[in-house]
């Protein structure tokens, strides 16, 4: 019997993986959890010992299969990072399922089958906000390549998609369960028909929104640059002046008098520059040469920067790192806007990649682990952040760009903070070269389409090695420049100043789930455990 349960858990993992972008079909997600639910129920209602451990191990197997197939590509950036991300993320998912198992042993089905979706969504929300944040596999992300299905994300965000997946999984589970008990084919047919409607109605609503939504006629003309520089062998060995001269040459192929923005990737200027003295650097004057030729042009580029605090006895910021000399320094993954006006605008990346840019729980772990993160290919120098989002405003004050750096584009509610500051288009700058030509950079581009729908903002995306792209407000990819190609793209994309329901209210679905999960969990603790039941005989 154990073998059968292992097969069921493996099937769940394979179905979840088969539903993931960019290679998968999300239809598989709507019944992916059912095999694992039946395996857990059989364990829970059995007379065997260690039910919790067995349920946990089955869940771990299912989620290990899913995580491994969908995110193995992290290997190209860091072997340790891949194993850590896969094993720890699997552990967290399995712990969520273990909590469900214990609650299910105490509460009737009508309650514990509500508890499972809400505790899972509460976990997804938690995973957006703590130091080991890794929301890559939040269920609502799975529809990023099928945006015609989820135009209603402008009202719900990705948590609407997560809830949709869970509702259908739970109802199908109950239908199959009842059929196993009474063999009523009519009831089975009715139940399946209801679930088909639960799938079809949101898709139909989405199609209607897709057909009726109209973009603004107001446009911004943008050139995005794709330098295609290998970060392992070239990027950090080239001085910033050489880099900017090459960037200007690439951009010049598409620039004209009508161009409003030139956008270059994350950390294009890879040689560390003092942020307070960038105004006087040669690379700044090279980039400003574009504005001297075309006075309305604004150049947005990524840069590695730092701020040195001399003779400071106390830590000047939460993220400051102590130098060997005893001073303090903040390192920044920044974006800078340059135009013919000498007043520069900066934005500092604030959603940092765990281990690479951020030493999680540094005050606790650093004294215990020392330089282990550095030894494993990460960093002990946590990068600085800024507490609030900033937008970068064009010379003529007409265009307001949301400077979204790399990993930040995975966070829905985070991106809405730019729009609340009146950003009228999104500028994503990234360096996806770390993952080689795998699903990593493809999924990252695909997830950007969700941000377009949630905020109804067009996107200009500049990626170092690709894929650079333009995305409209419906999540349609308009133009791309393929992986490992050098060049530039030009397009005029629509602006928007309206704020969607999701921009205004954010992750309200997740917050309601956190509240409901907490109430059900407390109720489960407060009541006596329900008496044992037995599984119905299988004919």
């Amino acid at each position: 019997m154990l073998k059968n349960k292992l097969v069921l858990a493996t099937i769940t993992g394979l179905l979840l993986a088969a539903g993931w972008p960019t290679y998968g079909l999300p239809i598989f997600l709507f019944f992916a959890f059912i095999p694992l639910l039946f395996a857990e129920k059989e364990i829970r209602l059995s007379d065997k010992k260690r039910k919790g451990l067995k349920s946990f191990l089955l869940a771990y197997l299912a989620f290990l299969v899913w995580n491994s197939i969908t995110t193995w590509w992290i290997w190209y950036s860091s072997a340790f990072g891949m194993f850590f991300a896969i094993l720890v993320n699997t552990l967290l998912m399995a712990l969520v399922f273990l909590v469900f198992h214990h609650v299910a042993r105490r509460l009737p089905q009508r309650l514990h089958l509500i508890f499972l979706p809400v505790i899972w969504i509460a976990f997804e929300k938690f995973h957006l906000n703590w130091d080991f944040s890794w929301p890559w596999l939040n269920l609502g992300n799975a529809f990023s390549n099928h945006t015609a299905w989820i135009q209603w994300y402008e009202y719900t965000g990705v948590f609407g998609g997560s809830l949709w997946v869970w509702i259908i999984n739970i109802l199908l589970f109950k239908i199959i369960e009842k059929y196993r008990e009474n063999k009523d084919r009519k009831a089975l047919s009715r139940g399946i028909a209801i679930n088909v409607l639960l799938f079809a109605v949101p898709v139909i609503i989405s199609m209607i929104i897709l057909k009726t939504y109209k973009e603004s006629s107001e446009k911004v003309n943008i050139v995005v640059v794709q330098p295609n520089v290998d970060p392992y062998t070239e990027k950090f060995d080239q001085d910033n002046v050489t880099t900017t001269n090459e960037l200007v040459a690439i951009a010049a192929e598409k620039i004209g008098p009508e161009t409003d923005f030139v956008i270059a990737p994350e950390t294009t200027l890879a040689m560390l520059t003092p942020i307070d003295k960038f105004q006087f650097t040669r690379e700044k004057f090279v980039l400003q040469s574009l504005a001297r030729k075309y006075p309305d042009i604004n150049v947005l580029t990524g840069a590695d920067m730092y701020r040195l605090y001399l003779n400071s006895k106390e830590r000047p910021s939460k993220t400051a790192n102590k130098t060997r000399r005893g001073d303090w320094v903040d390192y920044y993954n920044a974006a800078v806007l340059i135009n013919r006006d000498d007043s520069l605008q900066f934005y500092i990346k604030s959603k940092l990649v765990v281990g690479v840019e951020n030493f999680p729980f540094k005050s606790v772990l650093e004294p215990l682990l020392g330089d282990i993160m550095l030894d494993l290919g990460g960093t002990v120098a946590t990068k600085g952040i800024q507490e609030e989002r900033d937008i970068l405003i064009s010379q003529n004050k007409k265009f307001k760009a949301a400077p979204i750096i790399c990993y930040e584009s995975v966070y829905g509610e985070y991106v809405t903070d730019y729009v609340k500051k009146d950003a009228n288009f999104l500028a994503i700058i990234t360096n996806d070269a770390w993952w080689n030509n795998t699903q990593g950079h493809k999924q990252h581009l695909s997830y950007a389409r969700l941000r377009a729908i949630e905020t109804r903002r067009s996107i200009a995306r500049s990626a170092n090695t690709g894929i650079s792209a333009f995305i409209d407000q419906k999540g349609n990819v308009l133009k791309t420049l393929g992986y490992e190609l050098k060049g530039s793209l030009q397009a005029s994309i629509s602006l928007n100043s309206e704020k969607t329901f999701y921009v205004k209210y954010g992750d309200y679905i997740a917050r309601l789930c956190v509240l409901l999960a907490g109430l059900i969990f407390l109720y489960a603790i407060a009541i006596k455990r329900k008496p044992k039941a037995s599984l119905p005989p299988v004919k």
Side-chain angles (χ1 to χ4, degrees), residues 415-451:
V415 170
T416 67
D417 286 342
Y418 297 101
V419 179
K420 289 175 182 176
K421 292 280 186 75
D422 296 326
N424 50 22
F425 76 96
L426 308 183
I428 297 176
I429 60 175
T430 186
N431 179 20
D432 291 348
W434 308 107
W435 308 321
N436 212 320
N437 193 5
T438 64
Q439 281 295 311
H441 74 273
K442 296 174 185 176
Q443 290 171 357
H444 196 201
L445 167 62
S446 186
Y447 291 173
R449 302 172 68 182
L450 303 175
R451 307 291 86 82

Side-chain angles (χ1 to χ4, degrees), residues 194-243:
I194 290 170
N195 279 277
V196 169
L197 281 175
L198 286 172
F199 169 76
V201 170
V203 173
I204 292 168
I205 291 171
S206 179
M207 295 290 187
I208 293 171
I209 296 172
L210 188 65
K211 291 292 184 183
T212 56
Y213 182 81
K214 301 295 182 186
E215 293 189 349
S216 166
S217 58
E218 194 174 12
K219 306 278 188 177
V220 56
N221 190 288
I222 299 174
V223 172
V224 297
V225 179
Q226 185 168 299
N228 192 31
V229 178
D230 189 328
Y232 292 106
T233 59
E234 301 175 72
K235 189 178 180 71
F236 298 95
D237 295 328
Q238 183 168 277
D239 67 85
N240 287 344
V241 176
T242 301
T243 299

Side-chain angles (χ1 to χ4, degrees), residues 221-282:
N221 190 288
I222 299 174
V223 172
V224 297
V225 179
Q226 185 168 299
N228 192 31
V229 178
D230 189 328
Y232 292 106
T233 59
E234 301 175 72
K235 189 178 180 71
F236 298 95
D237 295 328
Q238 183 168 277
D239 67 85
N240 287 344
V241 176
T242 301
T243 299
T244 48
N245 279 315
E246 290 180 358
L247 187 144
V248 168
I250 296 170
E253 299 171 4
K254 297 287 195 306
I255 291 176
E258 72 285 353
T259 305
D260 300 304
F261 267 83
V262 173
I263 301 178
E266 174 189 21
T267 63
T268 293
L269 308 181
M271 292 290 104
L272 276 169
T273 306
I275 192 168
D276 297 318
K277 297 180 180 179
F278 183 78
Q279 175 78 20
F280 309 106
T281 60
R282 288 179 63 194

Side-chain angles (χ1 to χ4, degrees), residues 508-527:
Y508 64 93
I509 289 177
R511 294 186 181 92
L512 289 172
C513 286
V514 170
L515 176 62
L516 190 54
L519 291 174
I520 296 174
F521 183 75
L522 291 174
Y523 178 63
I525 293 174
I527 67 168

Side-chain angles (χ1 to χ4, degrees), residues 26 30 140-158 160-162 164 202-207 209-210 449-451 453-454 456 474-475:
F30 292 104
N141 291 339
F143 302 100
S144 60
N145 256 28
H146 291 72
T147 52
W149 295 9
I150 42 93
Q151 292 295 310
W152 37 267
Y153 270 23
E154 69 169 293
Y155 299 99
T156 70
V158 294
S162 297
W164 189 29
V203 173
I204 292 168
I205 291 171
S206 179
M207 295 290 187
I209 296 172
L210 188 65
R449 302 172 68 182
L450 303 175
R451 307 291 86 82
I453 297 168
E454 289 169 341
R456 293 303 182 192
K474 300 175 185 179

